[in-house]
Each structure stands twice: as C-alpha cells, then as structure tokens.
Amino acid sequence: MSALLEIKNLHAEVEGNKILKGINLEVNPGEVHAIMGPNGTGKSTLAQVLAGHEAFDVTDGEALFEGEDLLEMEPEDRARAGLFMAFQYPVEIPGVNSSYFLKAALNAIRKHRGEPELDAMEFLKLAKAKMAELDMDPAFLKRPVNEGFSGGEKKRNDIFQMSILEPKLCILDETDSGLDIDALQVVAGGVNRMRSENRAIVVITHYQRLLEYIVPDYVHVMYDGKIAKSGGKELATELEAKGYGWLEKGGAAPAHAGA
Amino acid sequence: MPNETDYVSRFEAASKNADEPSWLAELRRKAIDDFQRQGFPTTKNEWWRDTSVKAIVESDFRDADGSPDVPKPLVNAATLEGAIGGHRVAFVNGKFSDELSHIGALPEGVFVGRLSDFAKAHPDKFEQLLAKTAKTDDAPFAALNTAFWRDGACVFVPKGQSIDETVHIVYLTQTNGHATIDHPRNLIVLEDDAKADVIEHYVGMDKCLAYFNNVVTEVVMGERAFLDHLKLQQESPCAFHVATMEIRQRGKSNFATNSISLGGRLVRNDFSTALDGEFIESTMDGLFLVDGEQHVDHHTKIDHLMPNCHSFETFKGILGGKSRGVFNGRIYVEKDAQKTDAKQTSRNLLLSKDATANARPQLEIYADDVKCTHGATIGQLDSNALFYLRSRGIGEAEAYKILVYAFAGDMIHRIKNLGARETLEAKLIELLPKATYLEEAS
C-alpha cells in the first residue's frame, strides 16, 4: 500500500529563486510529523507547493498523494482528495459570508466523496457543534470570511474549517504564530481531536512550544531547502536547547538525534 | 452622413402634422433650437470627455413605429419572468402596448399610465410640469428628446397618497432590421407626503440589434415625499442608450435610485438632483457589468442648495474584455448649504487587462461647515482570496463567482422589489465576464 504522502526530491522556486532543493518525506496515516527550522528555509513554501499555490514553480521531483500525482492536481482537487492546509496568514475575504463559504466547500468535498450534500440546517448543526469545541462564537458564521478577525481568531477559524472538512492530511503552516498561550491550547486541542489512525498531520513550526501540546511522532529539521535531519519527538527538545546555529555551521548534528 | 441638420429637417417635417397646444409646440421649437445651437457633444466638452457619441451621430436611425410585434421571450425578459408584480406601463418599439400593460386599482387622484393620456386628462398640470426640471439649454440629448418625444410613462401621486405596489415602466425594443430611434419621456410627480416605488426598465433582444433610446425622466418631489427608483438597463448588446434623469426635491423628501446597467453597447446615464429644501436625503447607487467592447458612463450631479441635507452615492463596476466604465460624480455645495453631508464612493473591478475604468469625483464646496467624502478604487480580483477558496475544495469557476459576487452583491441587495432582486441576483452571476486579470499574489 502506498504512503498517504510521498515527496521525492522536490525542487521548487519562486520568480527564479530556488527555495526547495530536494525534499524527501514520507507520511503515513496515523502519523504526526513536525517540520521545524529557521525562518526562510522553505517550510512554508513546502506547504504552499503541496496545497497548489500557483506562485511557486516545481522544477524537479514529485509529490504523490495516495499514489496519485499531487502536483498535477488543481488546488480544489487536492482539497477534495483530502489535503488541507491551515494558512500561516489566513486570507480575509470581504463580502463572502463564512457560513456560505464553508457550506460550499464542504458540499464540494462531500460530492467528490459521493456523500449527500448537507442542507443549511444540517450544516448549521454541524458547524455549531464544532465551534463549541473550539470555543468560538457562532456569530462568526454570519461574518465575512476572516474579515476584521484578530490573528488568533483567523487561526482558530482555519482549524474550525479543518474540523468540518475532515481531511486525510492536515498541514498546519505556522499555526502557532501570533497565538497567546490560551489560544494556542485551544488550537492544539482542536488539532489533537483530529488525530486518528486514518489521518496524518504535518505541523510546520519555528518553535518547539506548539509541540508540547501537539506531540509529534517524527520531527524533521529543514535547512536551505532540504531536510537536514529527521528524528523522534526528542529532536524538537534538543533544537529548543541548542537552537538552529549548528545548521549554519555546516552540519554537526546534535547528539542522540537519530530517526 | 447624418448630422444635426438632419434632425432639424426631420423636426420641421414632423411639426407640420403635429396637433398640439401652442405652448408645447413652442417648447419643442425652443428645444430643437437649443439642440441645433449645441450640436451633439464631442469629447472636447468637459462633461463628455470620456464618452464619444460619434457612433450615435453617424448612425442613420429611423423613428421607431411600434412594429414589429415583440416575441414572447422578450416579453418574459421584460417582466423578469413575471417576478416584478404591481402596475405595468409597457411600450414596444416606441408605442404604448395595451396588451402588455396592466394598471390595477389606484387610490383617489393617483395617475399611472401614458404621459399622453396624462396630458389629455390634466392639461394644466401637464403644462406646469413638463420640461420644468429637465432643461434643454445645456443638454443636447435632453433637447433632442424634448423636441421629438411622442410618449412615455407618467406617475402622478397627489398630496398624502401612496402607491403600495411597484410601478414597472418598461420599454421593449426589437428592430425590424433597420436601426431605430426613440425618445421615451417619463414624468414622475410626488406631491407633499406622497410615496411611490418605480422601476424604469429598458429591454432589448439578446441578439445584436442597433437602435437608440434617448430617454428623459423628470422627477418632481414635494415635501416629505418618498421615491424608491430602480433603473434597469438590459438593452441589446449593440444598442445605444442615453438617459437624462433630472430630479427636484423639496424639504425632508427622500429620493433613492439604483442604476443597474447590464446591456447596451454605448450607455450614458445622467442623474442630477437639486436639493431645494432642508433635511433632504438623496441616494444614487449604481452597478454596471460590462464586457466585450461595451461602454457605460454614469454622470451624477447633486446640488446641495440648502442646509442639513444628506446625499449618498455608491457606484460599482465590473469590467471584462475591452470594455470601459466611467463614473463622474459632481457634488456642488452652495454657500448657505451648511451641515451638508455628502458621501461618494466609486469602486471598479477589472477582470481583464484591456478593460478601462475612469472614476472622477468633482467637489465644488462654498459652505464651510460641511462633511464631504469621496473615494474611488480600481482593482483586480485578489488571487490570494481565490486560492484560499480553492484550497478549501471550491472549484475555480465557483470561487471566482463568489468573489465577484462579494464585490457587487450589496448593490443587488439594495433592490427593494423582492422579485426583481432575486431574478437579478441570478442574472448577474450568469452574465459575469470571464476573469483573466488577477491581482499579483503576494
């Protein structure tokens, strides 16, 4: 059986700048992976390339989702196949009602899965239940998507969307940035509720802080467009203690770090 | 090539057969003189600098004569498939249509119907009102209309009365192959404390048929009168449409118009109001959707003559293909018009690199204690927003529609007539031009 996500030698660039320089990664259902690393090493680019943002050109390598060529798929088809990215900066969409938007998204995905579409009442019931779990005010549903939301509210809203859409693979791009400790716990709680043997989660973060709440099975360190080191959850703790300086000095890895 | 002289000789020929009171003949004579003196405007004229009417000047139009009969699909379109209820005053190819018109029971003294019938029934009022609001000395198209108009719709609501149901004035055009010209003339009069809700609607065949509707609508509002007006322009994609709407408002009256412009090849809408009293409210909104080589121009003029009046303007444009949209909003505040509050917004969404939008606010303020704000934006669809929607599973075409609709939807929501609003909501989505131009991703 093929992996849920299999990335082989992935290279990508934006406007001629090479950012990803040969990423290899395998993610299986039930696993939680953390991708760490200093700023500007390509972590967010990896997330965006996987979600299908057109600003990035893939120049080499491949990414397979359940054995299918992910890079050939349109962003909406990736979402329908079960990939979800929580944005580092969720986009404000004035004039688009949150409830309308999310119902349209859910029904597009359900239709793809061959499930019946939800009507307004059924959707509202589901949405309210998920919102209660995330300590969100149901009034958010009536507001335009992310418009006027605080940073924390936007992140929470993305996690809310994720819980409604029930993807197979969740990619969280710096979901912890800009969150205070209370919001972080709520968001982490939301993510942990999503953990299941049928679903994988990839957490992209600069800090180890989030990984105290979402404990990963695997930790990868990215540096200069590649995965420089992979290990277990203890690697995150070591990085917290040692920082990323050793990467810049040319690669003497911290002790005990082995996958 | 036809020119001003042709219109003058046609006028001479027609005036010989006219059977009209002498004041009206004189009014028409003055109008044709005014037209001849001004001629058709050129782009050297400041008020016309963004809109060339050369195509109108060079066209050889015949007078619309009521023929041919209008086919059922056009009738359905004109009535928005029956969605607009209420009273209907319908004209087909320049002639009143008894068959398509429907005027229900009306309160005492209220008139809804043909302007020519109003003239017969109330000759004194007709003489007092006609062409008193829309002047001809500095308005060539209004002059041409005044010289040539044959009929149009009239809504007259006497003091304290109101018409509860919508009055739907509709002009249907389907030419017989040759380009035609018509000069619809509408008169809407609301005396003190009167109230009405009027839809002014122009519909052409979907096929590309050239014709020219040169419209004048005069609105006279007494104290505390309330008029909700919707202008719905769905002319043929090859039609010319020039409309002059002149409004005069007295104290505490409330006028609101919403100009939804979906058709036409060359469209010019002028809305002017004079706020002649205190505590008046005047709202002018508009939404235009243009594609291909369509050109739509809205010129508004709001004269704040007295203190304590409010005016609000919101115009939005969605432009695809090689289309062009123009908004010019003039706000004039008289020295005595203290405590004026005037707000003007123009927003344009370009869906193609070859589309052009011009937005020009013109503020002329002579009072010192006023609040006047204006803002104009011209932008593209946000590619990040489009990606966000798609990344949640919403298809590209659907995501694009959601975003364009988010930009324009509020203008449709302002339509009070429920049937019109729901039909236009669907129509807008169906007509959206294809987006080829997105804001760069950041």
Side-chain angles (χ1 to χ4, degrees), chain A residues 74 76 80 85 105 158 161, chain B residues 387-388 390 392-393 395-396:
Chain A
E74 296 292 338
E76 55 268 37
R80 291 168 191 174
M85 176 179 76
D158 257 26
Q161 291 170 20
Chain B
F387 176 63
Y388 192 74
R390 294 178 71 191
R392 298 300 180 247
E396 185 178 17

Side-chain angles (χ1 to χ4, degrees), chain A residues 77-130:
Chain A
D77 294 328
R78 300 179 196 205
R80 291 168 191 174
L83 184 147
F84 182 97
M85 176 179 76
F87 281 55
Q88 185 177 5
Y89 303 107
V91 183
E92 293 195 15
I93 313 183
V96 178
N97 174 284
S98 292
S99 161
Y100 176 84
F101 151 67
L102 194 52
K103 184 163 141 304
L106 177 60
N107 281 334
I109 289 171
R110 289 181 67 95
K111 201 172 157 194
H112 178 84
R113 290 179 193 152
E115 295 167 0
E117 297 188 16
L118 294 191
D119 65 23
M121 290 304 290
E122 292 165 328
F123 172 77
L124 199 64
K125 202 176 153 202
L126 172 69
K128 283 191 172 161
K130 297 288 185 187

Side-chain angles (χ1 to χ4, degrees), chain A:
Chain A
M1 203 189 123
S2 57
L4 179 59
L5 176 69
E6 195 173 3
I7 304 173
K8 293 178 196 162
N9 192 33
L10 188 67
H11 286 69
E13 57 182 54
V14 61
E15 289 168 353
N17 298 318
K18 293 183 172 55
I19 299 180
L20 300 184
K21 301 172 183 172
I23 301 277
N24 292 290
L25 182 67
E26 189 180 308
V27 178
N28 291 296
E31 297 174 353
V32 175
H33 290 244
I35 298 178
M36 303 183 70
N39 285 328
T41 52
K43 303 188 301 291
S44 282
T45 299
L46 176 62
Q48 303 247 22
V49 166
L50 294 175
H53 199 294
E54 61 186 15
F56 302 93
D57 294 323
V58 174
T59 51
D60 200 6
E62 60 179 351
L64 303 176
F65 190 78
E66 296 187 311
E68 301 281 328
D69 185 351
L70 187 68
L71 303 176
E72 278 300 304
M73 294 157 79
E74 296 292 338
E76 55 268 37
D77 294 328
R78 300 179 196 205
R80 291 168 191 174
L83 184 147
F84 182 97
M85 176 179 76
F87 281 55
Q88 185 177 5
Y89 303 107
V91 183
E92 293 195 15
I93 313 183
V96 178
N97 174 284
S98 292
S99 161
Y100 176 84
F101 151 67
L102 194 52
K103 184 163 141 304
L106 177 60
N107 281 334
I109 289 171
R110 289 181 67 95
K111 201 172 157 194
H112 178 84
R113 290 179 193 152
E115 295 167 0
E117 297 188 16
L118 294 191
D119 65 23
M121 290 304 290
E122 292 165 328
F123 172 77
L124 199 64
K125 202 176 153 202
L126 172 69
K128 283 191 172 161
K130 297 288 185 187
M131 290 182 108
E133 286 179 2
L134 286 162
D135 199 15
M136 286 171 77
D137 181 353
F140 272 45
L141 281 175
K142 291 183 186 150
R143 288 168 59 184
V145 180
N146 290 325
E147 193 184 34
F149 287 23
S150 71
E153 286 171 335
K154 286 180 187 171
K155 298 295 176 91
R156 208 178 290 203
N157 195 23
D158 257 26
I159 300 304
F160 164 58
Q161 291 170 20
M162 187 169 92
S163 70
I164 292 277
L165 301 179
E166 300 192 318
K168 291 176 185 161
L169 174 64
C170 310
I171 301 171
L172 310 179
D173 185 7
E174 307 254 0
T175 293
D176 50 335
S177 68
L179 293 188
D180 62 34
I181 193 71
D182 295 335
L184 187 74
Q185 285 178 348
V186 172
V187 164
V191 175
N192 284 330
R193 267 190 298 277
M194 299 284 292
R195 290 181 86 145
S196 98
E197 57 182 17
N198 302 317
R199 177 178 294 128
I201 297 170
V202 175
V203 181
I204 291 174
T205 180
H206 183 70
Y207 302 105
Q208 193 262 345
R209 189 178 67 147
L210 179 65
L211 304 182
E212 286 172 18
Y213 300 99
I214 305 171
V215 180
D217 302 309
Y218 303 98
V219 175
H220 312 276
V221 187
M222 262 185 86
Y223 184 72
D224 192 26
K226 288 180 188 167
I227 289 179
K229 179 122 196 104
S230 295
K233 62 186 172 200
E234 67 286 350
L235 178 55
T237 325
E238 287 173 35
L239 288 167
E240 183 74 2
K242 291 198 166 190
Y244 295 116
W246 59 276
L247 288 163
E248 286 160 37
K249 285 174 200 123
H256 321 297

Side-chain angles (χ1 to χ4, degrees), chain B residues 379-440:
Chain B
Q380 299 95 47
L381 276 186
D382 178 356
S383 60
N384 284 320
L386 194 64
F387 176 63
Y388 192 74
L389 295 177
R390 294 178 71 191
S391 78
R392 298 300 180 247
I394 297 172
E396 185 178 17
E398 182 67 19
Y400 152 71
K401 280 179 183 172
I402 288 174
L403 291 180
V404 179
Y405 195 76
F407 171 80
D410 60 334
M411 306 312 291
I412 299 285
H413 297 156
R414 291 175 192 206
I415 297 172
K416 291 206 178 73
N417 183 291
L418 183 67
R421 183 167 71 228
E422 286 175 349
T423 318
L424 284 171
E425 220 159 43
K427 189 84 189 155
L428 182 72
I429 286 176
E430 176 195 319
L431 287 173
L432 289 179
K434 192 171 161 41
T436 55
Y437 188 31
L438 298 177
E439 196 176 286
E440 290 300 312

